[in-house]
Amino acid sequence: MVLINVQCCIIMIVTAADADKKKKSQWRNVWPSFYWNLLSGKDMVSGTKFHQTFGPERLWKFIPNSSHKYWLQSLEMITFKRKQVYTSVSETFPPSYFIDRTIELKQFWADILCPWGYSEFLFCTKEFDPS
């Protein structure tokens, strides 16, 4: 039964991979892979895990606070010498170096006036060649 489920999963993954190659390479879909590599990856030359070099708390600060809750369960899978690495981090500690502004982006663009001093909103303007 388990073998059949694994084979079905593999077929599904391969089929989805072929169908979604363009979608997977879109910039917005790269972030989860980048975060996972940052948290669990290693230096390609020395083989030293990033968390050994920089410490789990420091690496956790590179993940935006708005994403912390989604990564906590996955962090439990990252072990070193059979011990969990990220036991000292939480959804709120340590706080991220970055503030995720994606939710505020629509409001941000709606409030910005043309940088050339006109009373036109930035999203309504056209490209301008100052030369």
Side-chain angles (χ1 to χ4, degrees):
M1 183 73 163
V2 174
L3 183 58
I4 293 171
N5 288 339
V6 171
Q7 288 174 340
C8 289
C9 288
I10 291 170
I11 291 168
M12 181 62 179
I13 290 169
V14 170
T15 305
D18 290 340
D20 292 334
K21 281 185 181 178
K22 286 185 180 179
K23 198 178 214 182
K24 286 181 180 180
S25 62
Q26 290 176 351
W27 186 246
R28 69 174 178 233
N29 297 325
V30 173
W31 285 108
S33 178
F34 172 78
Y35 291 157
W36 181 251
N37 188 48
L38 178 70
L39 296 169
S40 67
K42 61 183 178 182
D43 182 273
M44 296 296 288
V45 176
S46 68
T48 305
K49 296 279 190 175
F50 296 138
H51 61 77
Q52 289 177 275
T53 305
F54 303 106
E57 292 86 5
R58 188 170 184 194
L59 293 177
W60 189 238
K61 289 181 175 186
F62 285 96
I63 311 299
N65 286 338
S66 59
S67 297
H68 280 181
K69 63 184 170 188
Y70 302 108
W71 284 96
L72 286 173
Q73 189 174 0
S74 297
L75 292 179
E76 295 173 8
M77 295 188 295
I78 302 172
T79 59
F80 184 71
K81 295 184 179 179
R82 298 184 181 181
K83 292 184 180 178
Q84 288 184 352
V85 173
Y86 289 92
T87 56
S88 60
V89 303
S90 70
E91 189 174 336
T92 57
F93 179 82
S96 177
Y97 290 127
F98 307 102
I99 298 172
D100 184 0
R101 298 284 190 200
T102 53
I103 295 170
E104 301 167 11
L105 194 58
K106 287 183 181 179
Q107 181 64 36
F108 173 78
W109 283 110
D111 289 346
I112 304 280
L113 293 177
C114 175
W116 304 108
Y118 299 103
S119 59
E120 187 87 32
F121 286 108
L122 186 60
F123 65 89
C124 295
T125 60
K126 296 181 179 156
E127 288 187 29
F128 176 73
D129 183 8
S131 58

